[in-house]
Amino acid sequence: MKKGVRPLPVFLLAPFFSGLALFWLIPILKGFHLSLQSDTLFDEPVFIGFAHYGELLRDPRFFHALRNTFVYAAMTITLVTGFSLGLAHLLRRAYARLRGPVLFCLMLPGLTPPAVLAFLYLLVFNGPHGMLNALLAAPFGLPMVDWIRDPRVIKFSLVLLALWRWSGFTTLILLSGMDGIPKAYYDLARAEGAGAWGAFRHVTLPMLSHVLAFTAVFLFLDAFVLFEGAYILLGGSGGTLDAGLLLVAYTYQTAFTLGRFGSAAAMGFSMVPILMFAVWLLLLRGRGRAERSRAAAGRGTPDATGADGPSSFGVTGVGNA
C-alpha cells in the first residue's frame, strides 16, 4: 500500500498553523514590507527599497541605543543569574522548609504587570523623595542618589528593576535544575574529599550549564523587548544624556513620536540577524558545557556493582569546606 499524507494529523494541526500564520507570519511580512516603504505619514507611501537600512548605519543614536541595550543585557544576565543561583542553592540546602513561601514571594513581581512594577519602583528609588534614600541615606547623612535622573546610575537602576522582576522566576528554574542532578554525583564528590564549595563548583555548576544557558537566553531576549518599565521610569525618553535609551524605546519614539514607521520597522528587522547570532552563541556555549559535564559525569558515576569509576570531577584532594 502506497504511503501518503494521513489526513487526520494534518486536520488537527491546521488550527495551529492557521493561527501562527494569522498572528505571526503575516504581521512579520507586513512589517518587512513597511520597512521598504517611505516614511510618508499622510500621503501614499513610496517603495524605496533598503534605504532605511542604509540610514541606520549613519544614525549615531541608533548605535548608542544598541550599545546601551547590549550593556544592559550583560549586566542583567550577570546580576540576575548570579543572585538567583546563590538563592536557589541556599533554598535547596539551608532553607528547604521555607522554599515554598519564599518562592511564592519572589514570584509575585514576575506576575505583576511591568507598568505597576515601574510605579512601585518610582516610590522606592525616585531621588531624594524615594523610600530608599529616605530610609538609608538621609538618617546617616549619606549623599542622595538620584536613581532615575543621574546618567551614571540610570542603567544600573534598570538592572535593579529587572532583578526585582525576574529573580523569582530564574530562581525557580535553577532550583528545578538542581533538583534534577542525581545525588550519586554529590556522593562521589564527597567521597573524593570535596566540601560544599567543591561540590558546588565541580558538580552543580557543570550539570546546570544547559539551564544557565536557557536563563541567559531568556534574560538576553527580555532586554531587547523591555519597554513598559523603562518607558515609565524615564518618562518616555532615554533619560539624561540618553543614558537609559534602549533599542525598543528608540524604535517606539521613531514610530509613534516622529511618525517614521518605515524607519522604525527597519530598526526592528535589523536586529534579527544580531539576535539570532547572539542567541546561537549563548546556546552553543551552554550546549558545549553540558556535553562536557555529562561526559565527565558518565566516567565518574558509580557502576551497577557499587564500585566507583575513575575520578571525573577533579575534586580529589580538596579539603572539606
Side-chain angles (χ1 to χ4, degrees), residues 152-166:
R152 297 171 297 180
V153 296
I154 285 178
K155 249 195 273 343
F156 187 69
S157 180
L158 295 176
V159 173
L160 289 179
L161 179 60
L163 176 66
W164 188 10
R165 183 183 181 191
W166 292 122

Side-chain angles (χ1 to χ4, degrees), residues 72-190:
Y72 166 77
M75 294 172 64
T76 301
I77 292 173
T78 303
L79 184 61
V80 176
T81 304
F83 177 79
S84 301
L85 185 62
L87 189 58
H89 186 67
L90 287 177
L91 287 174
R92 184 169 181 259
R93 293 181 59 87
Y95 303 105
R97 294 183 179 179
L98 298 177
R99 179 185 299 185
V102 171
L103 279 176
F104 174 76
C105 295
L106 289 174
M107 289 289 291
L108 284 179
L111 302 175
T112 305
V116 177
L117 280 184
F119 280 118
L120 295 175
Y121 194 86
L122 281 173
L123 295 176
V124 178
F125 289 93
N126 190 17
H129 307 291
M131 293 175 57
L132 187 65
N133 282 326
L135 295 177
L136 299 181
F140 301 100
L142 299 175
M144 302 289 184
V145 178
D146 196 341
W147 298 91
I148 310 301
R149 298 178 181 86
D150 190 341
R152 297 171 297 180
V153 296
I154 285 178
K155 249 195 273 343
F156 187 69
S157 180
L158 295 176
V159 173
L160 289 179
L161 179 60
L163 176 66
W164 188 10
R165 183 183 181 191
W166 292 122
S167 58
F169 179 69
T170 52
T171 299
L172 178 63
I173 292 176
L174 294 172
L175 186 60
S176 301
M178 290 180 181
D179 288 340
I181 300 176
K183 187 175 179 294
Y185 297 155
Y186 291 101
D187 295 337
L188 177 60
R190 283 193 294 268

Side-chain angles (χ1 to χ4, degrees), residues 12-63:
L12 294 176
L13 289 174
F16 167 74
F17 286 109
S18 300
L20 186 68
L22 180 62
F23 297 106
W24 186 75
L25 182 60
I26 295 178
I28 285 180
L29 296 177
K30 288 282 189 180
F32 182 70
H33 181 261
L34 179 63
S35 70
L36 305 178
Q37 304 292 317
S38 63
D39 282 327
T40 305
L41 188 58
F42 299 105
D43 298 330
E44 189 69 22
V46 179
F47 181 82
I48 58 174
F50 292 91
H52 289 314
Y53 294 90
E55 292 174 359
L56 291 180
L57 299 177
R58 301 184 295 272
D59 185 0
R61 201 160 182 245
F62 169 76
F63 286 101

Side-chain angles (χ1 to χ4, degrees), residues 267-277:
M267 287 182 192
F269 280 94
S270 67
M271 287 308 302
V272 172
I274 300 177
L275 287 176
M276 291 179 62
F277 180 71

